[in-house]
PDB file of all heavy atoms in Angstrom:
ATOM      1  N   LEU I  79      -2.176   8.808 -83.939  1.00 92.00           N
ATOM      2  CA  LEU I  79      -3.200   9.581 -84.628  1.00 92.00           C
ATOM      3  C   LEU I  79      -4.070  10.204 -83.569  1.00 92.00           C
ATOM      4  O   LEU I  79      -4.463  11.425 -83.729  1.00 92.00           O
ATOM      5  CB  LEU I  79      -3.989   8.673 -85.608  1.00 92.00           C
ATOM      6  CG  LEU I  79      -3.187   8.478 -86.886  1.00 92.00           C
ATOM      7  CD1 LEU I  79      -3.915   7.428 -87.623  1.00 92.00           C
ATOM      8  CD2 LEU I  79      -2.978   9.681 -87.739  1.00 92.00           C
ATOM      9  N   ALA I  80      -4.390   9.411 -82.512  1.00 94.00           N
ATOM     10  CA  ALA I  80      -5.336  10.008 -81.474  1.00 94.00           C
ATOM     11  C   ALA I  80      -4.719  11.217 -80.820  1.00 94.00           C
ATOM     12  O   ALA I  80      -5.272  12.272 -80.522  1.00 94.00           O
ATOM     13  CB  ALA I  80      -5.600   8.909 -80.440  1.00 94.00           C
ATOM     14  N   ILE I  81      -3.361  11.099 -80.604  1.00 89.00           N
ATOM     15  CA  ILE I  81      -2.616  12.287 -79.924  1.00 89.00           C
ATOM     16  C   ILE I  81      -2.718  13.438 -80.792  1.00 89.00           C
ATOM     17  O   ILE I  81      -3.022  14.623 -80.446  1.00 89.00           O
ATOM     18  CB  ILE I  81      -1.205  11.906 -79.631  1.00 89.00           C
ATOM     19  CG1 ILE I  81      -1.084  10.846 -78.478  1.00 89.00           C
ATOM     20  CG2 ILE I  81      -0.350  13.076 -79.211  1.00 89.00           C
ATOM     21  CD1 ILE I  81       0.320  10.390 -78.196  1.00 89.00           C
ATOM     22  N   ILE I  82      -2.557  13.162 -82.128  1.00 88.00           N
ATOM     23  CA  ILE I  82      -2.543  14.318 -83.140  1.00 88.00           C
ATOM     24  C   ILE I  82      -3.953  14.992 -83.153  1.00 88.00           C
ATOM     25  O   ILE I  82      -4.063  16.197 -83.033  1.00 88.00           O
ATOM     26  CB  ILE I  82      -2.138  13.871 -84.492  1.00 88.00           C
ATOM     27  CG1 ILE I  82      -0.668  13.573 -84.512  1.00 88.00           C
ATOM     28  CG2 ILE I  82      -2.374  14.978 -85.480  1.00 88.00           C
ATOM     29  CD1 ILE I  82      -0.277  12.813 -85.703  1.00 88.00           C
ATOM     30  N   LEU I  83      -4.941  14.062 -83.178  1.00 90.00           N
ATOM     31  CA  LEU I  83      -6.346  14.595 -83.132  1.00 90.00           C
ATOM     32  C   LEU I  83      -6.620  15.447 -81.867  1.00 90.00           C
ATOM     33  O   LEU I  83      -7.187  16.464 -81.851  1.00 90.00           O
ATOM     34  CB  LEU I  83      -7.336  13.573 -83.327  1.00 90.00           C
ATOM     35  CG  LEU I  83      -7.655  12.928 -84.586  1.00 90.00           C
ATOM     36  CD1 LEU I  83      -8.534  11.810 -84.695  1.00 90.00           C
ATOM     37  CD2 LEU I  83      -8.118  14.074 -85.534  1.00 90.00           C
ATOM     38  N   ARG I  84      -6.048  14.912 -80.606  1.00 89.00           N
ATOM     39  CA  ARG I  84      -6.356  15.580 -79.423  1.00 89.00           C
ATOM     40  C   ARG I  84      -5.652  16.982 -79.352  1.00 89.00           C
ATOM     41  O   ARG I  84      -6.228  17.873 -78.911  1.00 89.00           O
ATOM     42  CB  ARG I  84      -5.683  14.600 -78.299  1.00 89.00           C
ATOM     43  CG  ARG I  84      -5.896  15.136 -76.925  1.00 89.00           C
ATOM     44  CD  ARG I  84      -7.299  14.829 -76.488  1.00 89.00           C
ATOM     45  NE  ARG I  84      -7.505  15.730 -75.399  1.00 89.00           N
ATOM     46  CZ  ARG I  84      -8.182  16.869 -75.376  1.00 89.00           C
ATOM     47  NH1 ARG I  84      -8.804  17.274 -76.547  1.00 89.00           N
ATOM     48  NH2 ARG I  84      -8.300  17.612 -74.409  1.00 89.00           N
ATOM     49  N   LEU I  85      -4.433  17.020 -79.971  1.00 84.00           N
ATOM     50  CA  LEU I  85      -3.775  18.263 -79.998  1.00 84.00           C
ATOM     51  C   LEU I  85      -4.492  19.215 -80.948  1.00 84.00           C
ATOM     52  O   LEU I  85      -4.683  20.448 -80.583  1.00 84.00           O
ATOM     53  CB  LEU I  85      -2.328  18.114 -80.569  1.00 84.00           C
ATOM     54  CG  LEU I  85      -1.310  17.439 -79.681  1.00 84.00           C
ATOM     55  CD1 LEU I  85      -0.019  17.239 -80.485  1.00 84.00           C
ATOM     56  CD2 LEU I  85      -1.055  18.380 -78.522  1.00 84.00           C
ATOM     57  N   HIS I  86      -5.065  18.762 -81.994  1.00 85.00           N
ATOM     58  CA  HIS I  86      -5.792  19.634 -82.858  1.00 85.00           C
ATOM     59  C   HIS I  86      -7.065  20.162 -82.123  1.00 85.00           C
ATOM     60  O   HIS I  86      -7.317  21.392 -82.263  1.00 85.00           O
ATOM     61  CB  HIS I  86      -6.187  18.718 -84.109  1.00 85.00           C
ATOM     62  CG  HIS I  86      -6.681  19.623 -85.211  1.00 85.00           C
ATOM     63  ND1 HIS I  86      -5.732  20.435 -85.931  1.00 85.00           N
ATOM     64  CD2 HIS I  86      -7.900  19.876 -85.732  1.00 85.00           C
ATOM     65  CE1 HIS I  86      -6.493  21.102 -86.904  1.00 85.00           C
ATOM     66  NE2 HIS I  86      -7.787  20.778 -86.686  1.00 85.00           N
ATOM     67  N   SER I  87      -7.775  19.202 -81.486  1.00 89.00           N
ATOM     68  CA  SER I  87      -9.033  19.751 -80.786  1.00 89.00           C
ATOM     69  C   SER I  87      -8.635  20.589 -79.596  1.00 89.00           C
ATOM     70  O   SER I  87      -9.476  21.375 -79.177  1.00 89.00           O
ATOM     71  CB  SER I  87      -9.815  18.558 -80.349  1.00 89.00           C
ATOM     72  OG  SER I  87      -9.206  17.907 -79.241  1.00 89.00           O
ATOM     73  N   ALA I  88      -7.369  20.532 -79.095  1.00 84.00           N
ATOM     74  CA  ALA I  88      -7.104  21.522 -78.041  1.00 84.00           C
ATOM     75  C   ALA I  88      -6.686  22.809 -78.541  1.00 84.00           C
ATOM     76  O   ALA I  88      -6.256  23.647 -77.741  1.00 84.00           O
ATOM     77  CB  ALA I  88      -5.910  20.841 -77.208  1.00 84.00           C
ATOM     78  N   GLY I  89      -6.850  23.056 -79.779  1.00 81.00           N
ATOM     79  CA  GLY I  89      -6.658  24.392 -80.275  1.00 81.00           C
ATOM     80  C   GLY I  89      -5.284  24.638 -80.877  1.00 81.00           C
ATOM     81  O   GLY I  89      -4.759  25.681 -81.036  1.00 81.00           O
ATOM     82  N   ARG I  90      -4.636  23.506 -81.348  1.00 80.00           N
ATOM     83  CA  ARG I  90      -3.383  23.725 -81.970  1.00 80.00           C
ATOM     84  C   ARG I  90      -3.534  23.469 -83.543  1.00 80.00           C
ATOM     85  O   ARG I  90      -3.675  22.330 -84.100  1.00 80.00           O
ATOM     86  CB  ARG I  90      -2.263  22.822 -81.512  1.00 80.00           C
ATOM     87  CG  ARG I  90      -1.318  23.488 -80.477  1.00 80.00           C
ATOM     88  CD  ARG I  90      -0.433  22.491 -79.848  1.00 80.00           C
ATOM     89  NE  ARG I  90       0.132  21.540 -80.801  1.00 80.00           N
ATOM     90  CZ  ARG I  90       1.472  21.593 -81.270  1.00 80.00           C
ATOM     91  NH1 ARG I  90       2.180  22.556 -80.767  1.00 80.00           N
ATOM     92  NH2 ARG I  90       1.828  20.766 -82.138  1.00 80.00           N
ATOM     93  N   PRO I  91      -3.585  24.528 -84.389  1.00 79.00           N
ATOM     94  CA  PRO I  91      -3.992  24.403 -85.807  1.00 79.00           C
ATOM     95  C   PRO I  91      -2.894  23.693 -86.611  1.00 79.00           C
ATOM     96  O   PRO I  91      -3.029  23.182 -87.698  1.00 79.00           O
ATOM     97  CB  PRO I  91      -4.277  25.840 -86.222  1.00 79.00           C
ATOM     98  CG  PRO I  91      -3.507  26.653 -85.275  1.00 79.00           C
ATOM     99  CD  PRO I  91      -3.384  25.908 -84.088  1.00 79.00           C
ATOM    100  N   THR I  92      -1.581  23.747 -86.020  1.00 82.00           N
ATOM    101  CA  THR I  92      -0.489  23.330 -86.874  1.00 82.00           C
ATOM    102  C   THR I  92      -0.129  21.802 -86.576  1.00 82.00           C
ATOM    103  O   THR I  92      -0.412  21.354 -85.565  1.00 82.00           O
ATOM    104  CB  THR I  92       0.705  24.213 -86.606  1.00 82.00           C
ATOM    105  OG1 THR I  92       1.808  23.665 -87.309  1.00 82.00           O
ATOM    106  CG2 THR I  92       0.994  24.220 -85.172  1.00 82.00           C
ATOM    107  N   LEU I  93       0.589  21.287 -87.572  1.00 83.00           N
ATOM    108  CA  LEU I  93       1.160  19.871 -87.395  1.00 83.00           C
ATOM    109  C   LEU I  93       2.592  19.960 -87.081  1.00 83.00           C
ATOM    110  O   LEU I  93       3.290  18.896 -87.193  1.00 83.00           O
ATOM    111  CB  LEU I  93       0.779  19.023 -88.524  1.00 83.00           C
ATOM    112  CG  LEU I  93      -0.718  18.540 -88.646  1.00 83.00           C
ATOM    113  CD1 LEU I  93      -1.041  17.866 -89.876  1.00 83.00           C
ATOM    114  CD2 LEU I  93      -0.973  17.612 -87.450  1.00 83.00           C
TER     115      LEU I  93
END
Side-chain angles (χ1 to χ4, degrees):
Chain I
L79 284 171
I81 290 174
I82 290 169
L83 280 177
R84 185 75 200 99
L85 283 175
H86 195 73
S87 71
R90 261 172 44 106
T92 172
L93 283 172

